Amino acid sequence: MKLAGRMERLGTESAFEVLAKAKALEAQGREIVHLEIGEPDFDTPPHVIAAAQQALDEGHTHYVPAPGIPELRAAVADFLGRTNRLRTSPDRVLITPGAKPIMFFTILALCEEGDEVLYPDPGFPMYASIASFAGATPVPVPLREENGFVIDPGELRSLVTDRTKLLILNSPHNPCGSASTPEQLQEIAEIAIEHDLVVLSDEVYWALRYDGAHHSVLDLDGMAERTVLLDGWSKTFAMTGWRLGYGVFPEPLVEPVTRLMINSVSCTSAFSQYAAIAALDGPWDDVDRMREAFRERREVIVSGLNAVPGVSCVQPGGAFYAFPNITELGVPAATLSDRLLDEAGVACLPGTSFGAYGEGHLRFSYANSVGNIRRALDAFTDLVERS
């Protein structure tokens, strides 16, 4: 069967491939420490589950409007205002089954052959994959360790051309754990306005910020009219399996993206949207506890990685990823990650899973217990010392 040529341009997400390999090893009796998959290892808060159960009992099992139920769209707008992130109206909010559709729909609605999409590298692999699938040209913006793994506005400016259509930002950042600063975002906003760029701001890790407040390009004047905010419930509320995301769109994109939703997913499941309201309107205690647990794990894994011979690791400011530098070991990242899984029983990802500029690094998700993180660090140290 001959596939369409566009399928050759569609990539994948390596975390799920490594997870499958790790699970296969476990099925053979191996003990594996999972530091590859990017999801909180906490349960969804009980009041959220109860809201979903109530919605099912009340018969919320049918189609709902494609953009989302009005109550949830209003709850998102209120939540963003209440948390001082964005003042917006419910009609700009679209609810999707997971946050990835926001990327897909935004790029499909805006970009075509000849257009360029600027995206961070290392960065979430779907950015380049979807842009290429849509026929646009993905253009990597390097994130360099000497800059704290954030976009250098000067380098960004040098990459903008008259074909640049979209700029993708991600803070806190996957895989580096870095977080944007107000000064950096001010310069990026000036570039976006000067060159009439649309910005897709991926902020799914906004609540997992450890050192200071979350900062967004949406904080700056004139950016709400040209920025798509991407967020969801997966990371903040430990709801990855619920598949719930949302986007806040400039007015000209609302109707086209709604049309894309109708043509693809129809709508997001009804009962889960009532659970989403409960998450936004309910107590914040579980989020605080989760963030503090991640903070403790961050200290353990960063200090532990810095103690491994030939390895250094900057402290991430957000999310739950460590991105250590392994260049002194003289081994390609993909080779070392394979050896860690096969020989040491530690599942992680090579930095190259996130782009060419990720070479020389590994990504460890510290969404696991302190005990398991220490086991992984001991196994990593032993592997390096035996090599």
Side-chain angles (χ1 to χ4, degrees), residues 32-355:
I32 304 295
V33 179
H34 290 276
L35 302 182
E36 80 280 31
I37 200 72
E39 69 169 341
D41 58 318
F42 298 88
D43 292 329
T44 301
H47 69 279
V48 177
I49 296 173
Q53 291 171 333
Q54 181 179 342
L56 287 168
D57 291 339
E58 293 176 353
H60 294 293
T61 58
H62 302 280
Y63 287 132
V64 293
I69 61 174
E71 299 93 328
L72 179 53
R73 298 174 78 190
V76 168
D78 178 72
F79 176 77
L80 290 170
R82 199 169 68 241
T83 53
N84 296 315
R85 293 179 64 199
L86 177 65
R87 301 289 175 184
T88 191
S89 56
D91 62 297
R92 301 286 183 92
V93 177
L94 300 180
I95 309 301
T96 52
K100 281 179 183 174
I102 302 299
M103 301 176 201
F104 236 114
F105 297 155
T106 298
I107 292 171
L108 286 175
L110 289 171
C111 302
E112 55 194 348
E113 189 172 347
D115 292 331
E116 294 178 347
V117 176
L118 296 171
Y119 69 97
D121 182 350
F124 188 53
M126 299 300 95
Y127 302 147
S129 173
I130 297 168
S132 182
F133 183 76
T137 300
V139 178
V141 182
L143 303 188
R144 306 184 189 279
E145 187 169 353
E146 57 266 31
N147 292 333
F149 292 119
V150 297
I151 288 176
D152 178 341
E155 189 163 18
L156 172 64
R157 184 180 291 277
S158 73
L159 294 169
V160 176
T161 73
D162 57 3
R163 297 184 300 278
T164 306
K165 188 69 172 289
L166 179 68
L167 167 64
I168 300 176
L169 304 176
N170 177 209
S171 179
H173 183 265
N174 173 20
C176 303
S178 48
S180 297
T181 66
E183 296 78 17
Q184 172 216 19
L185 290 170
Q186 177 66 53
E187 292 188 64
I188 290 174
E190 291 170 1
I191 294 169
I193 292 170
E194 177 185 345
H195 294 277
D196 195 25
L197 306 182
V198 180
V199 175
L200 173 61
S201 186
D202 180 348
E203 302 182 21
V204 295
Y205 296 98
W206 78 275
L208 299 176
R209 183 81 167 82
Y210 307 107
D211 308 310
H214 170 67
H215 300 291
S216 168
V217 72
L218 283 159
D219 299 335
L220 301 167
D221 291 342
M223 291 308 297
E225 293 78 17
R226 64 177 63 250
T227 302
V228 175
L229 171 63
L230 180 156
D231 202 347
W233 286 260
S234 291
K235 316 300 182 181
T236 302
F237 301 103
M239 294 175 69
T240 52
W242 293 76
R243 309 315 304 134
L244 281 164
Y246 69 83
V248 181
F249 291 85
E251 191 278 331
L253 279 175
V254 172
E255 188 279 331
V257 171
T258 299
R259 234 183 315 142
L260 283 167
M261 291 179 63
I262 292 170
N263 276 271
S264 56
V265 300
S266 294
C267 62
T268 305
S269 64
F271 72 91
S272 65
Q273 296 195 48
Y274 289 91
I277 295 171
L280 297 179
D281 293 348
W284 202 249
D285 298 359
D286 288 297
V287 179
D288 287 337
R289 279 193 290 270
M290 184 171 66
R291 185 179 60 252
E292 291 312 304
F294 283 139
R295 185 194 301 274
E296 178 187 3
R297 297 170 186 184
R298 179 185 66 156
E299 304 304 318
V300 171
I301 196 166
V302 171
S303 62
L305 287 168
N306 280 315
V308 178
V311 177
S312 62
C313 185
V314 299
Q315 180 158 281
F320 40 72
Y321 305 114
F323 201 63
N325 187 318
I326 58 161
T327 53
E328 287 188 21
L329 298 180
V331 181
T335 301
L336 184 56
S337 64
D338 285 344
R339 290 191 61 197
L340 275 167
L341 179 57
D342 296 334
E343 300 176 33
V346 177
C348 68
L349 297 180
T352 46
S353 291
F354 303 92

